[in-house]
Amino acid sequence: MNLRLGRPKPSDVSAGLVTGLFSIPEGMAYAAIGGFNPVTGIYAGVVPTILGSFFARTVLMVTTLTSAIALTSQSVMSGAGVDPKDAGNIATLAVLAGVIMLVLGVLKLGAVMSFVSNAVMTGFSTGIALQIITGSLKDATDYKPTGHNKLWQLGNWLWDIPHWQLASTLTAVATVVVWALVRLVKRLVAVSVLVALVVVSLGVGILGTDVEMAGDIAHIPAALPAFTAPDLGSLGALLPGAFAVALVALAQAASIGPTVPNPDGTKSSVNGDFISQGIANVGGGLFGGLPTGGSMSRTGVAVSAGARTRWTGIFAGLWLALLVLTLGSLAEQIPMPVIGGLIIVIGVELILGRVKDIKLILRTSALSTAAMVVTFLATTQLPLQQAIIIGAVLSLLLYCVQAARQSGLRTLEPGAGPATAWRIAPPPSRIAPGTVTVLYYAGTSLFAEAPRIDEQWPDTKEAAGSAVILAVRGVPEVPSSAVLKMLRRYAIDLRAHGGRLYLAGVEPKLAEVLRKTGVAAELGEDAVVEATPE
């Protein structure tokens, strides 16, 4: 995988500590949201985070439990009719999802993610950021908004301000204020999240403020996760759902690479990240963790805390293990409004980081804007696995539409200069008798562009004694059957009126396809001129 572990920076140690601390209350909260034992959410931040960071190609990505993965896992287990609190079932789901991720990465199917347009990815990642924010509103104000989707919940939360609990709200506000004040000191920016977490937590303890604590969700045992064997009896029931969990996790992780580039200048690899998350899930599933994936919120926490290398994630897992072993009871005293306030800050920062992309898309085209908006709405209003499918379909639609728009025929006319100079012009409306017309095929050979090119063919009624040379250099080696039918149809039409069609610059594999499909025979063997280096 060509990994460079490198040396850790001092800021990686502190950023790992902050991320590890966050993993206690946030992991417990996410697991509880999904109906799982909250401690499994903590364990999802130990082995998976260490393995994920060690192997990840997006070096700052933190692999752990997310709210979307927790909710998807809940839906999968509910649909399969298995107990979500049974450790064997959890191990089975996590290991299955990990194996699926590994297979997708090894087969290099991450290339499929390159077909997800920037518009769709922007809508998806912005929707995920809003999910992060809405998922923390209850922790920040001790008021849980109602509604069937995230936008409705946000509106309900703002509308019902009188229902916010004063102590929790003031604690969350104090956390944001301390965080903002610390960031005014340039040298403290990297540790602003940690300072806010520690200072406000101490303040709550000293003042005796009555707010929800991490320990109120569940007791944190002073023990590391033990080996858990998957329950083979639930394998068949959970296998279909494991694909959904893997899809949600991989889609979330794919949005992190473009948002958080590698500080060392290396390039992210979607396939490499697929493999790293697969390893993380297999390892985590065998040691008590829920399914995991690249976490936008936890990565944002790490970056805000000063992460510089992949060591941040490794230290986060190690710190978390140490904290659970030695200070589990102390970690139970972290106020949930502190976590809620900081997570809301992280979510807002993630949205602000996408503002430039949003403006660019709005100025690009109405189609791209529509794709972004639809994906955003789907991410905030539908189950995440459905939103991903909608985003994938929209991306495919955008690709096909753009490919069809860019396709077409051009005329190549000899220029006034050297013989090798050609001028590009629109195709003629008709083929004159006894002439040679050189056309250039500009397109990707998709079936969607065939009707557009069919409309551009010059009329052949007066083509007696003429030749049409179609330059196809650069056309994909295996065009669609619709394009082959189109070429055959025009060749027959041209020959019926006394002319001939020649294909020039034919690549070897395309020539083989033309022979196998009989198109070469329709044209005549001498009419297929293979490409040369010149």
Side-chain angles (χ1 to χ4, degrees):
M1 293 178 64
N2 194 27
L3 298 174
R4 294 194 305 176
L5 193 58
R7 292 184 178 182
K9 308 290 184 184
S11 59
D12 291 325
V13 180
S14 60
L17 175 58
V18 173
T19 309
L21 282 170
F22 259 83
S23 295
I24 295 174
E26 190 180 65
M28 293 171 71
Y30 287 165
I33 288 172
F36 300 99
N37 183 338
V39 176
T40 59
I42 297 178
Y43 292 161
V46 182
V47 174
T49 301
I50 294 172
L51 292 176
S53 293
F54 188 89
F55 291 103
R57 293 293 296 273
T58 302
V59 300
L60 299 184
M61 181 174 70
V62 177
T63 301
T64 188
L65 178 66
T66 70
S67 58
I69 294 174
L71 292 171
T72 305
S73 299
Q74 176 198 44
S75 174
V76 166
M77 288 199 159
S78 175
V82 300
D83 183 4
K85 292 190 176 180
D86 181 84
N89 291 334
I90 293 174
T92 301
L93 182 60
V95 171
L96 280 175
V99 170
I100 291 167
M101 294 174 182
L102 276 170
V103 171
L104 293 176
V106 170
L107 295 178
K108 299 189 182 301
L109 294 179
V112 175
M113 297 304 297
S114 64
F115 286 90
V116 179
S117 71
N118 181 54
V120 167
M121 188 57 74
T122 298
F124 181 74
S125 58
T126 306
I128 289 294
L130 183 63
Q131 281 204 9
I132 291 170
I133 293 171
T134 54
S136 302
L137 298 179
K138 194 270 180 183
D139 292 331
T141 60
D142 202 18
Y143 170 70
K144 186 176 182 179
T146 58
H148 65 284
N149 64 68
K150 302 304 178 184
L151 289 173
W152 189 271
Q153 290 172 16
L154 182 61
N156 173 259
W157 180 74
L158 292 171
W159 181 261
D160 285 341
I161 289 178
H163 292 87
W164 298 2
Q165 297 302 308
L166 183 61
S168 297
T169 303
L170 289 178
T171 301
V173 171
T175 303
V176 175
V177 170
V178 172
W179 171 84
L181 290 174
V182 173
R183 291 179 68 85
L184 294 177
V185 182
K186 190 173 182 180
R187 292 183 178 181
L188 298 180
V189 169
V191 293
S192 57
V193 174
L194 177 60
V195 172
L197 179 69
V198 173
V199 169
V200 182
S201 296
L202 287 174
V204 168
I206 293 170
L207 296 174
T209 309
D210 184 18
V211 295
E212 184 181 29
M213 299 291 183
D216 294 331
I217 300 177
H219 170 65
I220 301 175
L224 293 177
F227 177 81
T228 305
D231 183 354
L232 299 181
S234 61
L235 190 69
L238 291 175
L239 181 58
F243 278 94
V245 173
L247 192 62
V248 168
L250 294 176
Q252 283 189 286
S255 67
I256 295 175
T259 307
V260 186
N262 294 342
D264 58 5
T266 59
K267 292 185 177 181
S268 298
S269 165
V270 177
N271 290 314
D273 287 340
F274 278 18
I275 292 173
S276 73
Q277 290 170 88
I279 295 172
N281 272 281
V282 172
L286 295 175
F287 288 93
L290 284 163
T292 57
S295 168
M296 183 79 82
S297 65
R298 214 72 59 86
T299 302
V301 168
V303 172
S304 295
R308 293 293 178 269
T309 72
R310 68 176 70 248
W311 279 98
T312 294
I314 296 172
F315 280 126
L318 294 174
W319 274 119
L320 178 57
L322 183 62
L323 289 168
V324 169
L325 280 174
T326 60
L327 301 173
S329 59
L330 185 60
E332 291 178 359
Q333 302 307 309
I334 298 176
M336 292 308 296
V338 172
I339 296 299
L342 290 174
I343 291 297
I344 289 173
V345 166
I346 297 301
V348 171
E349 282 190 318
L350 292 172
I351 291 176
L352 293 177
R354 281 291 187 176
V355 168
K356 286 186 177 179
D357 278 338
I358 293 172
K359 289 181 178 179
L360 178 64
I361 293 163
L362 291 174
R363 295 168 181 169
T364 300
S365 71
L367 191 61
S368 295
T369 300
M372 177 181 68
V373 172
V374 170
T375 307
F376 172 78
L377 293 175
T379 306
T380 57
Q381 300 188 53
L382 298 174
L384 207 54
Q385 60 267 38
Q386 295 180 19
I388 292 169
I389 293 172
I390 290 173
V393 172
L394 282 173
S395 291
L396 181 61
L397 178 63
L398 280 173
Y399 180 79
C400 291
V401 170
Q402 293 295 345
R405 283 179 174 177
Q406 294 170 4
S407 65
L409 296 177
R410 309 286 186 269
T411 300
L412 296 180
E413 299 175 344
T420 54
W422 295 85
R423 289 183 296 125
I424 298 176
S429 60
R430 66 185 184 88
I431 301 297
T435 59
V436 176
T437 303
V438 181
L439 300 176
Y440 174 71
Y441 183 105
T444 55
S445 290
L446 284 175
F447 58 88
E449 66 196 42
R452 178 182 174 87
I453 292 176
D454 252 339
E455 295 174 358
Q456 296 179 321
W457 286 118
D459 188 90
T460 61
K461 292 177 182 178
E462 301 176 7
S466 66
V468 176
I469 302 173
L470 180 63
V472 293
R473 185 186 293 272
V475 168
E477 297 171 339
V478 183
S480 72
S481 59
V483 170
L484 293 175
K485 286 177 65 177
M486 176 188 68
L487 291 175
R488 176 187 282 124
R489 190 164 55 245
Y490 191 70
I492 293 172
D493 183 45
L494 190 60
R495 187 169 61 246
H497 292 91
R500 285 198 68 185
L501 176 66
Y502 296 83
L503 300 182
V506 179
E507 300 292 344
K509 283 190 178 180
L510 176 57
E512 183 180 352
V513 171
L514 292 172
R515 282 192 289 271
K516 284 183 177 179
T517 56
V519 175
E522 291 281 358
L523 298 174
E525 289 298 335
D526 62 329
V528 177
V529 182
E530 296 198 19
T532 64
E534 296 179 0

